[in-house]
Amino acid sequence: GLTGFHNRFWEVEEASKTSATLSVKTKEGEEGFPGNLTVKVKYTLGEDNDLTIEYFAETANDTVINLTNHAYFNLNGAEQNDITSHVVAINSSSFAVVDDRCIPTGKLRDVSGSAFDFREPKSISENIEDKDEQLIIGNGYDHSFQLKTENSAELIFAASAEGDISKIRLEVYTTEPAMQFYTGNYLGSGDIGKGKVVYRDRSGFCFETQHHPDSPNRPEFPSTVLKAGEHFYSKTIYKAIL
């Protein structure tokens, strides 16, 4: 829709020193979606440098839902303003092929022998400039990597990244079946961030745990349908190792 949840004011349901639960509601037909929908997100800071994000949703009518967190990371610090030397690992043997609009076609491609193989840790810079049609379309990595073949509540390791300067390591665990890896290919808008640093392309990366984009139109992908009376739940943990 035109006004996504990231552009909405959320109500504070509960807050403490270590957690906050926020909620938002949408009405039947809002932004073209069916169903009166209630969504809650709980953020919890753990004692082991970890941030847990839990998503809850319920609907009065059958609808579709695909929630994620779009935080940008630069483990070397904003002043470095480049993430291509980060060493990344992704627990995935296939990714969703996209068309010229960066929308998944429904096909999955084996990562073996390609720039998309992060099963063994490597720097982002190692293959990001390869003459692979998929990288050219996205101006870098902007692709959904498959973690599971079906929906399940199992919490699994999704990905990790390590700053080559800071040596800070980020690990991601999730119940979601996929993760969008985005290398900030279109950040060069001149926005000014921390320390008055002017952000440019590839100054941050995203690990967005979710279902594949366009899943409602792709029966090949795990379903994003939430039926009336059912409860949606998803959990992702971002853990820092210093």
Side-chain angles (χ1 to χ4, degrees):
L2 298 176
T3 306
F5 285 164
H6 62 297
N7 287 323
R8 293 282 302 273
F9 286 104
W10 292 58
E11 297 290 333
V12 178
E13 295 267 330
E14 184 179 355
S16 70
K17 290 182 178 180
T18 58
S19 70
T21 301
L22 311 177
S23 67
V24 69
K25 296 181 179 181
T26 62
K27 296 180 180 180
E28 168 79 24
E30 187 173 338
E31 300 294 341
F33 287 91
N36 293 314
L37 180 71
T38 299
V39 175
K40 294 183 180 181
V41 180
K42 182 178 182 180
Y43 300 89
T44 304
L45 289 172
E47 296 180 354
D48 198 22
N49 297 317
D50 56 282
L51 172 66
T52 297
I53 306 176
E54 295 174 279
Y55 305 84
F56 309 83
E58 53 186 25
T59 181
N61 306 91
D62 293 357
T63 189
V64 292
I65 190 166
N66 192 6
L67 303 173
T68 191
N69 180 274
H70 202 294
Y72 285 92
F73 296 96
N74 185 329
L75 302 177
N76 288 329
E79 65 275 5
Q80 298 301 323
N81 212 15
D82 184 270
I83 49 81
T84 57
S85 293
H86 282 59
V87 175
V88 167
I90 301 176
N91 183 24
S92 174
S93 59
S94 61
F95 72 96
V97 175
V98 297
D99 61 20
D100 57 6
R101 300 171 300 155
C102 273
I103 304 297
T105 64
K107 295 181 179 179
L108 295 174
R109 192 173 106 184
D110 191 326
V111 301
S112 299
S114 77
F116 292 84
D117 193 348
F118 285 91
R119 290 174 295 183
E120 293 295 328
K122 66 179 181 181
S123 68
I124 296 172
S125 62
E126 184 169 328
N127 297 114
I128 197 170
E129 300 296 342
D130 285 9
K131 301 304 179 184
D132 185 301
E133 182 184 20
Q134 288 293 295
L135 289 173
I136 294 171
I137 290 173
N139 195 31
Y141 295 103
D142 189 7
H143 295 78
S144 184
F145 287 76
Q146 181 147 302
L147 306 173
K148 303 176 183 178
T149 57
E150 57 187 24
N151 293 327
S152 76
E154 180 187 8
L155 188 70
I156 63 169
F157 170 73
S160 67
E162 183 173 307
D164 58 303
I165 298 173
S166 69
K167 301 304 179 184
I168 294 174
R169 176 179 170 86
L170 173 69
E171 295 181 345
V172 183
Y173 300 84
T174 188
T175 59
E176 286 293 298
M179 185 193 76
Q180 188 86 7
F181 177 43
Y182 176 53
T183 46
N185 311 315
Y186 298 100
L187 288 178
S189 61
D191 288 341
I192 299 175
K194 185 178 180 180
K196 297 185 178 179
V197 171
V198 178
Y199 292 140
R200 62 171 184 259
D201 292 352
R202 299 177 185 169
S203 60
F205 69 90
C206 301
F207 283 157
E208 302 166 68
T209 56
Q210 57 180 33
H211 281 57
H212 292 303
D214 204 34
S215 286
N217 300 311
R218 301 297 175 186
E220 307 94 321
F221 295 160
S223 175
T224 55
V225 174
L226 178 63
K227 294 186 176 295
E230 293 183 350
H231 297 276
F232 173 89
Y233 177 76
S234 174
K235 180 178 182 178
T236 293
I237 300 173
Y238 293 96
K239 179 180 174 62
I241 300 174
L242 307 179

